Amino acid sequence: MKYPTVTIALVLSNAMTCDGLGMALSFRKTDMIGSSFVPKLERASSWSGGSTLNMLVQASGGMLELEEFLDSDKGVSKTVRKSPKLWKAARIATIPASLALGYSIVPSSKIAFSAAGAIASSLAGLIGRNKMKDLGGDAAWSAIAQCLVDDGISNAQATAGKILEIKDEFAVHPDDFTWICLNIYRKYLVGMLKYDAKPQGTDLEELESLKGILALDNLDVGEAHVLAAQDWQRACKFVTQEALEDEDCKERMSINKLFYLTERSLRQNNEPREAFTYEMSRTCNIFNTTIEEALVRVEEEVVGPFYARALKSSRSKLGTNQVSSIMLERARQTIGISSNSAKNLHENVLNDEVRSLLGYTNENESNVNPYTVTYPEGARERLEKLCKTFGLDQKEVYYEIVSEGMPLFSVVGLDVMKDAVSGGITPEEAWERIDQRRKELLIPEDKLDELVSTLVVNSMGTPLQDVKKYIDVNNEGAVYSSMMEVLQAKKIIEQLLKKSGWNGDFYKAFCNPNSDIESINSLMNSQQRKIVYELVTTRSMEGPDGKTGDELNEFTAEVQGILGIEEKQVEVMAIMNFGPKLDTVLRRAMLEIIEDYTPALLETLKKEVRDVISEYKINEGLIISSGRDLYQEALKNISDNAPAGVPTQEQNEALSVLQKFYGLDDVSSFHLNTFGPIYKKSIEEAMSITGVIRPEFRKPLENLRDRLGVSSEQTRLIFLDAVKIRMIPMVEWIVSEMEKTVFSQEQLSKRRGKDMGEDYFQSGKKADGNLGLGAEANVLSDIMNLIDFYTENDIAVQNQIDSQKVEKTVEVDDEKKTIEEEVPVYETLYPITALETGAVDSQMAEVLYRQFVVGSFTTKGPDAVRYENSRSTFGGILGLSSEKMEDIGSGIADTVYDNYVGQSMRTKGALDQQDMMFLANLQPKLGLTPEQGEIFMKKAQNKILKDEYEQVMDSATAESIKTFRERCEGMGIDLSKDLELTKDYIQEMFEIEIAPGLESGEITIENVDILVEIQESLGLDEKNAEESLTKLLVQRSQIISEAIEGAIRRGRINTIVEPVKQLVRYGAFLNGNLGIEMEEEAGQQVFNAYKNFDTEGLSEEKVEENQEMLKTILSLS
């Protein structure tokens, strides 16, 4: 509903006194912020309060913002806030009250005009209630702001009470009032950002106090921060992104401050993690910033610098009650700085304090005199107190003292060390000055080693710099002189170190170029240091005053240590420089020993070698390395000059001495290289034509081995190599002969004039001695020659792999007892195999083994036993595994059993006693146990019976199935397990066999013995048998019922007698449930006819029973 007249009157009346109603917009609009973002810093805030970090307290930007808003507040809302009681009365009064309100709204010295305005308003219906509500909200908004400005927020409880009075006075709805308070908080927060971009110590306390005064909850605060962020984002819309990336940008600093205040407000409200993330992300999203990025900016750009300013102030107040560790802890919790960041800032302040005590200032960094500067009295205690206040460990004090004092100490210490090295002062005086300076700089005593190490490196580095300078220009004389100065400086420094109590390894501590710490020789690279070492050590031995013996060794060791030369490098250089001298002595020793060895000669040569090694500091390992070549040279010398190339006893003695002289452990490989061909030739000669080494030649070969100095393992390898050469042609010959006999079945039949394959017996022909397998006598003979060659030369090796306990009968006191004895278990290894030599491939190897196994039981006479006993040996010679040999044997056994058992069963119907005896005698020849033989026999039987089953089922009859079933039963064959017939196949056999008996009446409900016999014989369970019987009866009954129904329709009643009787018999098995559907009229005719059937031989009871059964079958009532 609208009130145009009232509106016009109100506008007219307001026009007399204010800028119009537009200045008092609804408090729910963002225009409420109203004020410009240009801060008016000339205004002083009326807020006052305490804070943990009160050294940072400044005028509150929030209060300034509220004051600026109140200055701009004019018109109706200002009038209303000055007369809140009248406004409240107006909201509940009727039209007359509107007149008074109108008068108050239009104040004027001209009462008549004001009254006229009021009357006009009242006549028009006055201001609508909704408009009053809006004006009341705006007025309450201003009243709250005025209250906060007047009373401040330090006395939160009192101010909060006044705020509630404003709510009641202006009768603002609770929800509207909350929204007003939220926007007051929002404006206050914006003022904090606008008037000071840096956070102040009171900011968080102000916001927390303001939250309580305005009775805002956590959700209200989160919403206020989001709205404030939107306001500030609009205020910064003209600031470029490039400017906002500058950390010194005022707008960026204000945004960071907003992030900080938002994060702290949410954290201090104990918001759950999910709620914090949600509210914080809302604020961050306004500035296109992630939470993670915002928190980093807060930590690095707000909290860190903020806390640093607080620490700077705390340091100046150290020793007063104005700062304590508890206060700092509370401040850290308040601003939310991380423990790591706080610790780093504490350490920085500690460092600033140390430098300040030493006299360093930002303006004066270079005027501190390292020779005179000292800490003032009480400095250590002040630093320790600062550490305690900041929560730092005391070791941090010592770290900062050492860090700042070391450079100062080093300047003085290095000068003192130089004076000592130059001889200006004694090492004792030098140490006293160094230690005194350490104490003045408060450097702990446990840092002495580190301090001294630094001084040593720096003082020793100077003379070594001269060495490098001269080596760069190849000034060898100056290099040598400078190194002498270095060695002299080292002696003085070692005395000083001893005085200080240092007892470390000088070279390891200061001269290790590979160390992580600085080394005195680090100025020179590895090659330069080696050049200096060679130059200095060589020069030290020159001239009449050259160093020798222990003096030389001590000198070279010192130079080596100073230059950081590794022992291995020293050895290499010694070999390069002095190795030829040692090699000359060693070679002369070799020639003299093999020429005419005597013990005295050996001692003389040993002394010569020791002298060379000692004088030139050559590693004794060079004797061994040179000795290897010289020893092999001696062997060649002897081999070339000895009779038949075999050393004499005297020569072997000289070689033994030479081996010990050179320190060689094992020289058999050298002997093998020299004398191996001689031993191999002897082996080949001993083998003669047969290839077998006869027993009488074996001992001489062992003697030859000893004289040649070759080990038994090495001669074994030579022997096997000779065996391999002889064995390959033998295997290739056997393969060639075998290939002539191995053809396809058709080729083999043409060659022999008869069928020789497995199908031979399946055709029903008479078997001969081959059992369907081939065996060539010539090949078998050649194989036996190979086996004899292998065994008589003892090529195979027995290797123990385990042990087992066996029972053994022994005689004790004329009484036989059985005891357990542990015996070893061996496996036979074949070091040379046909497969390994490449003389045969794996396929032909299997063919050869198969042929040999067949020959072992097909051959007659004495050779049969030899073949049988040699099967595993031949398989090993070929290189077949035991598993492969077993597989081949099984395949042969399969063939033999299939052929023999198949022939016997086809001709006799079953195996008789003679067949069983034959198969039992065959088992050992095939390498089978009785159990394995039983398996193969049953497998062959099953194969024959499965073929027979297929033939029976091709034209199955009840009689043929019965015959097959009874045959299987007689042989103990299970149709399911042995012949692998499925349940469906067995049920089919059951149905075919019982069908004639059911039809003829031989099988009835009174006589089911036949059914049970057939079921059990077939191995069919009762459930499956019933299933088959039911199916058969239902199928047959359907056929019979259709025939009966057809005969009834044609009037041939005389033809249904037997079919009806069959139905009655079938129905007796299934209680009449044969599934027959016959028309009732036809069924009645059948029943009536049945009553006239001949029932002779049946009792009246049986007749009645059959009639009832027929009714059930035909579904008659």
Side-chain angles (χ1 to χ4, degrees):
M1 188 173 182
K2 298 181 179 179
Y3 303 94
T5 308
V6 174
T7 305
I8 293 170
L10 184 62
V11 170
L12 288 174
S13 61
N14 279 336
M16 302 291 294
T17 58
C18 63
D19 295 334
L21 196 60
M23 289 300 297
L25 300 178
S26 172
F27 59 85
R28 290 188 180 275
K29 298 179 181 179
T30 53
D31 292 340
M32 178 180 287
I33 297 302
S35 61
S36 168
F37 284 100
V38 180
K40 298 182 179 180
L41 295 177
E42 68 275 7
R43 292 294 302 266
S45 173
S46 61
W47 181 85
S48 63
S51 172
T52 299
L53 301 179
N54 53 22
M55 70 289 292
L56 299 177
V57 172
Q58 295 181 11
S60 169
M63 284 298 179
L64 294 176
E65 181 68 12
L66 293 181
E67 291 173 1
E68 183 177 348
F69 165 72
L70 292 173
D71 287 347
S72 64
D73 185 22
K74 299 177 181 179
V76 177
S77 61
K78 184 173 182 181
T79 303
V80 171
R81 92 167 175 262
K82 293 182 177 179
S83 304
K85 292 182 180 179
L86 177 61
W87 180 257
K88 181 177 181 180
R91 293 200 60 180
I92 60 175
T94 55
I95 292 176
S98 300
L99 178 60
L101 178 62
Y103 181 79
S104 64
I105 290 176
V106 193
S108 173
S109 58
K110 297 180 181 180
I111 298 176
F113 184 85
S114 297
I119 293 170
S121 298
S122 64
L123 291 176
L126 300 181
I127 301 173
R129 186 174 180 85
N130 288 336
K131 192 64 180 177
M132 290 184 184
K133 178 180 177 182
D134 289 343
L135 291 175
D138 286 344
W141 208 107
S142 300
I144 293 171
Q146 188 67 56
C147 178
L148 293 174
V149 170
D150 293 342
D151 296 345
I153 61 177
S154 58
N155 191 347
Q157 187 173 358
T159 307
K162 293 182 179 181
I163 297 297
L164 289 176
E165 292 177 2
I166 294 173
K167 173 185 174 184
D168 294 337
E169 289 175 356
F170 287 91
V172 182
H173 189 274
D175 291 344
D176 296 338
F177 192 77
T178 298
W179 184 256
I180 293 172
C181 292
L182 184 153
N183 279 276
I184 290 286
Y185 182 101
R186 162 192 180 185
K187 178 172 282 292
Y188 197 97
L189 177 58
V190 169
M192 284 182 164
L193 305 179
K194 183 168 68 173
Y195 287 99
D196 194 346
K198 295 181 180 180
Q200 301 302 321
T202 60
D203 286 349
L204 295 173
E205 291 184 10
E206 286 184 51
L207 291 178
E208 186 64 23
S209 179
L210 186 62
K211 173 190 172 185
I213 291 171
L214 299 176
L216 299 177
D217 59 21
N218 295 344
L219 292 176
D220 298 331
V221 170
E223 184 67 23
H225 279 258
V226 172
L227 294 174
Q230 293 173 346
D231 295 336
W232 198 250
Q233 193 273 338
R234 285 192 293 271
C236 300
K237 64 182 179 180
F238 295 112
V239 182
T240 65
Q241 184 62 35
E242 182 180 0
L244 288 175
E245 291 177 357
D246 183 2
E247 293 185 4
D248 294 328
C249 173
K250 295 294 184 182
E251 287 77 7
R252 177 186 176 91
M253 294 168 64
S254 295
I255 294 171
N256 289 343
K257 181 177 180 179
L258 175 61
F259 288 154
Y260 161 67
L261 294 175
T262 303
E263 185 269 339
R264 284 289 85 202
S265 296
L266 295 175
R267 296 280 195 201
Q268 291 177 354
N269 290 337
N270 296 320
E271 291 285 359
R273 184 170 60 86
E274 295 79 6
F276 169 80
T277 302
Y278 171 73
E279 294 291 352
M280 189 69 189
S281 63
R282 293 176 66 200
T283 300
C284 294
N285 290 340
I286 293 171
F287 298 99
N288 296 321
T289 304
T290 64
I291 293 180
E292 292 76 14
E293 182 183 353
L295 294 180
V296 170
R297 286 170 59 174
V298 166
E299 180 81 14
E300 295 179 354
E301 301 180 31
V302 180
V303 174
F306 183 35
Y307 189 61
R309 296 198 304 274
L311 291 178
K312 184 177 181 181
S313 174
S314 300
R315 180 181 144 214
S316 64
K317 298 175 182 179
L318 190 66
T320 69
N321 293 328
Q322 295 179 297
V323 64
S324 67
S325 59
I326 296 175
M327 293 173 61
L328 289 176
E329 173 64 24
R330 190 183 306 126
R332 289 195 296 274
Q333 293 178 355
T334 301
I335 65 177
I337 190 170
S338 68
S339 57
N340 286 338
S341 296
K343 185 174 183 296
N344 290 335
L345 291 172
H346 292 169
E347 291 170 354
N348 291 340
V349 173
L350 177 61
N351 178 261
D352 291 342
E353 183 66 19
V354 170
R355 291 177 60 81
S356 175
L357 292 172
L358 285 173
Y360 288 106
T361 63
N362 292 334
E363 298 78 18
N364 182 15
E365 287 286 333
S366 59
N367 290 338
V368 173
N369 190 335
Y371 296 92
T372 59
V373 64
T374 59
Y375 286 96
E377 185 178 353
R380 184 189 298 275
E381 291 74 14
R382 176 176 173 81
L383 292 173
E384 290 176 350
K385 186 170 185 178
L386 185 65
C387 260
K388 184 177 180 181
T389 302
F390 287 175
L392 294 174
D393 194 287
Q394 291 299 321
K395 65 181 181 181
E396 300 293 343
V397 173
Y398 299 111
Y399 174 80
E400 297 297 341
I401 287 175
V402 171
S403 297
E404 296 299 331
M406 278 289 282
L408 302 173
F409 174 84
S410 296
V411 173
V412 177
L414 186 58
D415 286 346
V416 172
M417 293 279 276
K418 289 181 178 178
D419 287 345
V421 170
S422 63
I425 58 176
T426 65
E428 290 77 10
E429 292 174 329
W431 169 246
E432 288 177 2
R433 293 185 187 180
I434 289 172
D435 195 44
Q436 178 61 31
R437 191 64 185 131
R438 175 192 67 78
K439 294 175 181 177
E440 291 172 349
L441 293 173
L442 302 182
I443 298 175
E445 191 172 359
D446 58 10
K447 289 290 181 180
L448 268 176
D449 285 352
E450 182 180 343
L451 296 172
V452 171
S453 297
T454 303
L455 296 178
V456 170
V457 171
N458 290 331
S459 59
M460 288 286 292
T462 302
L464 279 169
Q465 284 179 343
D466 293 337
V467 174
K468 182 181 184 305
K469 178 176 64 177
Y470 294 130
I471 198 66
D472 288 340
V473 295
N474 296 323
N475 189 339
E476 296 182 358
V479 169
Y480 185 81
S481 299
S482 297
M483 274 303 298
M484 294 304 100
E485 294 176 9
V486 170
L487 296 177
Q488 180 61 29
K490 171 182 170 290
K491 290 179 182 179
I492 295 174
I493 289 174
E494 281 183 321
Q495 294 177 32
L496 189 149
L497 290 174
K498 184 177 180 181
K499 182 67 178 177
S500 71
W502 191 86
N503 56 2
D505 185 327
F506 185 90
Y507 301 125
K508 187 175 182 180
F510 309 119
C511 308
N512 183 3
N514 300 319
S515 174
D516 293 335
I517 62 175
E518 189 177 2
S519 170
I520 64 175
N521 53 44
S522 58
L523 292 173
M524 291 183 283
N525 59 38
S526 175
Q527 184 62 29
Q528 289 173 327
R529 286 185 282 110
K530 285 193 289 186
I531 293 174
V532 172
Y533 175 81
E534 289 187 55
L535 188 153
V536 173
T537 53
T538 303
R539 278 210 169 208
S540 68
M541 293 182 285
E542 295 175 350
D545 297 328
K547 296 178 175 60
T548 59
D550 294 340
E551 183 187 9
L552 175 62
N553 291 337
E554 183 179 348
F555 177 81
T556 55
E558 196 170 10
V559 175
Q560 175 188 349
I562 290 291
L563 295 173
I565 307 295
E566 295 180 1
E567 196 65 34
K568 187 178 292 185
Q569 293 176 319
V570 172
E571 293 174 6
V572 171
M573 287 186 283
I575 291 171
M576 292 175 59
N577 295 327
F578 311 114
K581 295 183 178 181
L582 178 62
D583 192 61
T584 300
V585 175
L586 294 176
R587 177 174 293 278
R588 188 175 72 253
M590 180 267 291
L591 295 174
E592 292 188 11
I593 287 174
I594 63 173
E595 177 69 25
D596 186 13
Y597 160 71
T598 64
L601 173 64
L602 180 62
E603 293 303 319
T604 301
L605 294 172
K606 284 182 178 180
K607 184 179 182 306
E608 291 180 6
V609 171
R610 283 196 302 268
D611 291 343
V612 172
I613 288 177
S614 175
E615 182 176 357
Y616 299 108
K617 200 179 180 181
I618 301 174
N619 191 298
E620 291 186 6
L622 184 59
I623 299 176
I624 297 176
S625 59
S626 298
R628 291 194 187 98
D629 296 333
L630 293 171
Y631 187 86
Q632 292 180 78
E633 188 176 331
L635 288 175
K636 186 176 185 307
N637 192 323
I638 290 174
S639 178
D640 291 342
N641 296 289
V646 180
T648 64
Q649 183 176 351
E650 291 77 11
Q651 289 172 327
N652 273 327
E653 183 182 1
L655 288 172
S656 177
V657 170
L658 197 60
Q659 176 187 353
K660 294 177 182 178
F661 180 76
Y662 291 146
L664 304 178
D665 293 331
D666 184 13
V667 293
S668 59
S669 60
F670 303 151
H671 284 252
L672 178 64
N673 292 335
T674 303
F675 302 122
I678 297 173
Y679 187 81
K680 184 176 182 180
K681 182 179 179 182
S682 301
I683 288 287
E684 292 171 346
E685 291 174 352
M687 283 183 169
S688 67
I689 298 175
T690 62
V692 177
I693 299 177
R694 290 160 52 186
E696 58 267 26
F697 291 148
R698 295 188 179 183
K699 186 63 178 175
L701 284 173
E702 291 179 6
N703 295 334
L704 177 62
R705 179 193 68 200
D706 295 338
R707 288 181 60 186
L708 295 176
V710 185
S711 67
S712 58
E713 293 79 9
Q714 291 168 335
T715 54
R716 172 74 174 170
L717 294 176
I718 295 173
F719 165 70
L720 292 178
D721 189 50
V723 166
K724 181 178 179 180
I725 294 173
R726 284 296 187 96
M727 179 177 159
I728 290 175
M730 297 175 71
V731 176
E732 290 175 343
W733 170 259
I734 294 171
V735 171
S736 176
E737 289 299 303
M738 193 65 207
E739 288 174 343
K740 296 176 183 178
T741 63
V742 178
F743 293 96
S744 66
Q745 185 177 359
E746 181 180 355
Q747 292 170 327
L748 185 60
S749 298
K750 289 180 181 180
R751 179 181 175 85
R752 300 293 176 83
K754 59 180 179 180
D755 190 342
M756 296 295 292
E758 293 180 5
D759 293 337
Y760 179 69
F761 292 107
Q762 294 180 4
S763 64
K765 294 182 181 179
K766 183 179 179 180
D768 59 16
N770 287 321
L771 296 176
L773 299 165
E776 289 294 328
N778 290 338
V779 174
L780 296 178
S781 177
D782 293 334
I783 290 174
M784 285 307 303
N785 289 336
L786 174 62
I787 294 173
D788 290 341
F789 166 79
Y790 211 94
T791 55
E792 292 180 19
N793 277 318
D794 293 328
I795 301 171
V797 178
Q798 296 295 314
N799 180 44
Q800 182 177 348
I801 57 173
D802 202 354
S803 63
Q804 64 181 7
K805 291 183 178 181
V806 297
E807 291 186 348
K808 181 179 181 181
T809 303
V810 296
E811 190 171 328
V812 180
D813 297 335
D814 298 330
E815 184 180 352
K816 290 185 177 180
K817 292 184 178 181
T818 302
I819 63 172
E820 277 192 350
E821 183 180 11
E822 190 168 349
V823 296
V825 177
Y826 294 97
E827 69 172 349
T828 304
L829 302 179
Y830 296 86
I832 299 177
T833 65
L835 283 170
E836 182 185 22
T837 62
V840 64
D841 58 34
S842 58
Q843 183 179 7
M844 182 54 67
E846 293 177 16
V847 171
L848 287 172
Y849 181 74
R850 183 175 186 274
Q851 190 71 18
F852 188 72
V853 173
V854 171
S856 69
F857 63 83
T858 58
T859 301
K860 308 297 183 181
D863 287 340
V865 177
R866 290 186 65 214
Y867 293 164
E868 184 177 339
N869 294 335
S870 302
R871 284 183 303 187
S872 61
T873 301
F874 181 55
I877 294 172
L878 289 172
L880 300 176
S881 65
S882 57
E883 292 80 8
K884 177 59 69 177
M885 287 188 275
E886 186 176 343
D887 288 345
I888 295 172
S890 297
I892 295 172
D894 259 343
T895 303
V896 171
Y897 271 81
D898 284 351
N899 290 337
Y900 185 84
V901 173
Q903 179 193 16
S904 296
M905 288 183 66
R906 291 188 186 96
T907 56
K908 303 177 185 179
L911 299 177
D912 56 21
Q913 187 65 27
Q914 183 180 359
D915 295 327
M916 300 301 288
M917 290 179 62
F918 176 80
L919 291 175
N921 293 330
L922 197 62
Q923 287 170 8
K925 294 185 177 182
L926 291 171
L928 302 176
T929 63
E931 292 77 13
Q932 290 173 324
E934 179 72 19
I935 293 173
F936 279 114
M937 182 186 73
K938 200 165 186 178
K939 185 178 178 183
Q941 289 177 329
N942 293 345
K943 184 176 181 181
I944 296 299
L945 290 173
K946 286 181 80 170
D947 291 342
E948 187 174 331
Y949 165 79
E950 296 291 342
Q951 295 174 8
V952 168
M953 295 305 291
D954 283 345
S955 55
T957 63
E959 191 61 32
S960 63
I961 289 177
K962 179 181 179 182
T963 301
F964 177 75
R965 173 177 58 78
E966 290 177 344
R967 184 179 181 189
C968 291
E969 186 176 15
M971 297 173 64
I973 299 297
D974 186 293
L975 298 178
S976 177
K977 294 180 180 179
D978 297 329
L979 300 189
E980 299 177 348
L981 298 182
T982 65
K983 180 190 72 172
D984 293 339
Y985 288 158
I986 297 174
Q987 284 182 301
E988 182 183 6
M989 293 173 65
F990 178 75
E991 293 167 11
I992 293 173
E993 187 172 353
I994 67 174
L998 290 171
E999 186 175 349
S1000 65
E1002 181 182 4
I1003 301 175
T1004 64
I1005 191 63
E1006 293 84 9
N1007 181 20
V1008 294
D1009 293 342
I1010 299 176
L1011 279 176
V1012 174
E1013 177 188 346
I1014 297 173
Q1015 169 204 333
E1016 293 178 349
S1017 178
L1018 290 172
L1020 197 63
D1021 62 38
E1022 186 175 341
K1023 180 181 178 182
N1024 292 330
E1026 289 180 358
E1027 181 184 312
S1028 296
L1029 177 62
T1030 300
K1031 184 179 75 171
L1032 180 61
L1033 291 173
V1034 171
Q1035 290 176 348
R1036 292 298 178 96
S1037 297
Q1038 291 292 335
I1039 296 172
I1040 292 171
S1041 68
E1042 291 174 1
I1044 291 173
E1045 196 171 8
I1048 291 295
R1049 285 199 302 270
R1050 291 172 177 78
R1052 298 172 181 169
I1053 301 297
N1054 61 319
T1055 62
I1056 69 170
V1057 176
E1058 283 305 319
V1060 172
K1061 288 181 178 180
Q1062 286 182 25
L1063 282 182
V1064 172
R1065 290 199 302 273
Y1066 293 172
F1069 283 102
L1070 303 178
N1071 295 323
N1073 298 320
L1074 297 178
I1076 293 175
E1077 296 180 0
M1078 186 179 293
E1079 294 182 4
E1080 186 176 355
E1081 182 180 353
Q1084 193 63 50
Q1085 291 181 35
V1086 171
F1087 181 74
N1088 292 337
Y1090 182 73
K1091 289 193 293 183
N1092 297 324
F1093 284 2
D1094 181 10
T1095 58
E1096 184 179 356
L1098 298 177
S1099 64
E1100 292 183 6
E1101 183 180 355
K1102 183 63 177 175
V1103 171
E1104 290 179 2
E1105 182 182 336
N1106 288 347
Q1107 288 178 355
E1108 289 300 319
M1109 178 58 67
L1110 185 59
K1111 281 185 178 182
T1112 303
I1113 293 171
L1114 299 175
S1115 301
L1116 298 177
S1117 57

